[in-house]
Coordinates of all heavy atoms in Angstrom, one line a residue:
S245 N -4.6 -56.4 33.1 CA -5.9 -56.3 32.4 C -6.6 -57.7 32.5 O -6.1 -58.7 32.2 CB -5.7 -56.0 30.9 OG -6.6 -56.4 30.0
V246 N -7.9 -57.7 32.9 CA -8.6 -58.9 33.1 C -9.2 -59.4 31.8 O -9.8 -58.7 31.0 CB -9.8 -58.5 34.1 CG1 -10.7 -59.8 34.3 CG2 -9.1 -58.2 35.4
N247 N -9.2 -60.8 31.7 CA -9.6 -61.3 30.4 C -11.2 -61.7 30.5 O -11.5 -62.7 30.7 CB -8.9 -62.6 30.2 CG -8.9 -63.0 28.8 OD1 -9.8 -62.5 28.0 ND2 -8.2 -63.9 28.3
K248 N -11.9 -60.5 30.3 CA -13.4 -60.7 30.3 C -13.8 -60.3 28.9 O -13.3 -59.3 28.3 CB -14.0 -59.7 31.3 CG -14.1 -60.2 32.7 CD -14.6 -59.1 33.6 CE -16.1 -59.2 33.9 NZ -17.0 -58.2 33.2
P249 N -14.9 -60.8 28.5 CA -15.6 -60.4 27.2 C -16.0 -58.9 27.3 O -16.4 -58.5 28.3 CB -16.7 -61.4 27.0 CG -16.8 -62.1 28.2 CD -15.7 -62.0 29.1
Q250 N -15.9 -58.2 26.1 CA -16.2 -56.8 26.1 C -17.7 -56.6 26.4 O -18.5 -57.6 25.8 CB -15.9 -56.2 24.7 CG -15.5 -54.7 24.9 CD -14.4 -54.4 23.9 OE1 -13.8 -55.3 23.2 NE2 -14.0 -53.1 23.8
E251 N -18.3 -55.7 27.0 CA -19.7 -55.5 27.3 C -20.2 -54.3 26.7 O -19.5 -53.3 26.6 CB -19.8 -55.5 28.9 CG -20.0 -56.8 29.5 CD -20.6 -56.7 30.8 OE1 -21.9 -56.5 30.9 OE2 -19.8 -56.7 31.8
D252 N -21.5 -54.3 26.5 CA -22.2 -53.0 26.2 C -22.9 -52.6 27.4 O -23.9 -53.0 27.8 CB -23.2 -53.3 25.1 CG -24.0 -52.1 24.8 OD1 -23.6 -51.0 25.2 OD2 -25.0 -52.2 24.0
Y253 N -22.3 -51.5 28.0 CA -22.8 -51.0 29.3 C -24.1 -50.2 29.1 O -24.8 -49.8 30.1 CB -21.8 -50.2 30.0 CG -20.7 -51.1 30.5 CD1 -19.4 -51.2 29.8 CD2 -20.7 -51.8 31.7 CE1 -18.4 -52.1 30.2 CE2 -19.7 -52.6 32.2 CZ -18.6 -52.7 31.4 OH -17.6 -53.6 31.8
M254 N -24.4 -49.8 27.9 CA -25.6 -49.1 27.6 C -26.9 -49.8 28.1 O -27.9 -49.3 28.4 CB -25.8 -48.7 26.1 CG -24.6 -47.9 25.6 SD -24.6 -46.3 26.3 CE -25.8 -45.6 25.1
K255 N -26.8 -51.2 28.1 CA -28.0 -52.0 28.4 C -28.3 -51.9 30.0 O -29.3 -52.3 30.4 CB -27.9 -53.4 28.0 CG -26.8 -54.2 28.6 CD -26.9 -55.7 28.2 CE -26.1 -56.6 28.9 NZ -24.8 -56.9 28.2
Y256 N -27.3 -51.3 30.7 CA -27.6 -51.2 32.2 C -28.1 -49.8 32.6 O -28.3 -49.5 33.7 CB -26.2 -51.4 32.9 CG -25.7 -52.7 32.6 CD1 -24.4 -52.9 32.2 CD2 -26.4 -53.9 32.8 CE1 -23.9 -54.1 31.9 CE2 -25.8 -55.2 32.6 CZ -24.7 -55.2 32.1 OH -24.0 -56.5 31.9
L257 N -28.5 -49.0 31.5 CA -29.1 -47.7 31.9 C -30.6 -47.9 32.2 O -31.5 -47.7 31.3 CB -29.0 -46.7 30.7 CG -27.5 -46.5 30.4 CD1 -27.3 -45.6 29.1 CD2 -26.8 -45.7 31.6
I258 N -31.0 -48.4 33.4 CA -32.3 -48.8 33.7 C -32.8 -47.9 34.7 O -32.2 -47.7 35.8 CB -32.2 -50.3 34.3 CG1 -31.6 -51.2 33.3 CG2 -33.6 -50.8 34.7 CD1 -31.1 -52.5 33.8
D259 N -34.0 -47.4 34.5 CA -34.6 -46.6 35.5 C -35.4 -47.2 36.5 O -36.6 -47.4 36.5 CB -35.5 -45.4 34.6 CG -36.3 -44.6 35.6 OD1 -35.9 -44.5 36.8 OD2 -37.2 -43.9 35.0
D260 N -34.7 -47.8 37.5 CA -35.3 -48.6 38.5 C -34.4 -49.0 39.5 O -33.4 -49.6 39.3 CB -35.8 -50.0 37.7 CG -36.3 -51.0 38.7 OD1 -36.8 -50.5 39.9 OD2 -36.3 -52.2 38.4
V261 N -34.7 -48.5 40.8 CA -33.9 -48.9 41.9 C -34.6 -49.7 42.9 O -34.3 -49.9 44.1 CB -33.2 -47.7 42.6 CG1 -32.1 -47.1 41.7 CG2 -34.2 -46.6 42.9
D262 N -35.8 -50.2 42.5 CA -36.6 -51.0 43.4 C -35.8 -52.2 44.0 O -35.2 -52.9 43.2 CB -37.8 -51.6 42.6 CG -39.0 -51.7 43.5 OD1 -39.1 -51.1 44.5 OD2 -39.9 -52.4 43.1
E263 N -35.8 -52.2 45.3 CA -35.2 -53.2 46.0 C -33.7 -53.2 46.0 O -33.0 -54.2 46.3 CB -35.7 -54.6 45.7 CG -37.0 -54.8 46.1 CD -37.6 -56.1 45.8 OE1 -37.0 -57.1 45.4 OE2 -38.9 -56.2 46.0
V264 N -33.1 -52.1 45.5 CA -31.6 -52.0 45.5 C -31.3 -51.6 47.0 O -31.9 -50.7 47.6 CB -31.1 -50.9 44.6 CG1 -29.7 -50.6 44.8 CG2 -31.3 -51.3 43.1
N265 N -30.4 -52.3 47.6 CA -30.0 -52.1 48.9 C -28.8 -51.2 49.1 O -27.7 -51.5 48.5 CB -29.6 -53.4 49.6 CG -30.7 -54.0 50.3 OD1 -31.6 -53.3 50.8 ND2 -30.8 -55.4 50.4
I266 N -29.0 -50.0 49.7 CA -27.8 -49.0 49.8 C -27.3 -49.1 51.2 O -28.0 -48.9 52.1 CB -28.4 -47.6 49.4 CG1 -29.0 -47.6 48.0 CG2 -27.2 -46.6 49.5 CD1 -29.6 -46.3 47.7
G267 N -26.0 -49.1 51.3 CA -25.3 -48.9 52.6 C -24.6 -47.6 52.6 O -24.1 -47.1 51.6
V268 N -24.8 -46.9 53.7 CA -24.2 -45.5 53.8 C -23.2 -45.6 55.0 O -23.6 -45.4 56.1 CB -25.3 -44.5 54.1 CG1 -24.7 -43.0 53.9 CG2 -26.5 -44.6 53.2
P269 N -21.9 -45.7 54.6 CA -21.0 -45.8 55.7 C -20.8 -44.4 56.4 O -20.4 -43.5 55.7 CB -19.6 -46.2 55.0 CG -20.1 -46.6 53.7 CD -21.3 -46.0 53.3

Side-chain angles (χ1 to χ4, degrees):
S245 152
V246 173
N247 200 347
K248 265 175 102 259
Q250 216 146 355
E251 270 199 81
D252 177 13
Y253 292 95
M254 301 290 276
K255 66 172 188 264
Y256 302 123
L257 300 172
I258 303 163
D259 176 12
D260 173 21
V261 286
D262 210 18
E263 290 179 18
V264 168
N265 266 331
I266 301 175
V268 189

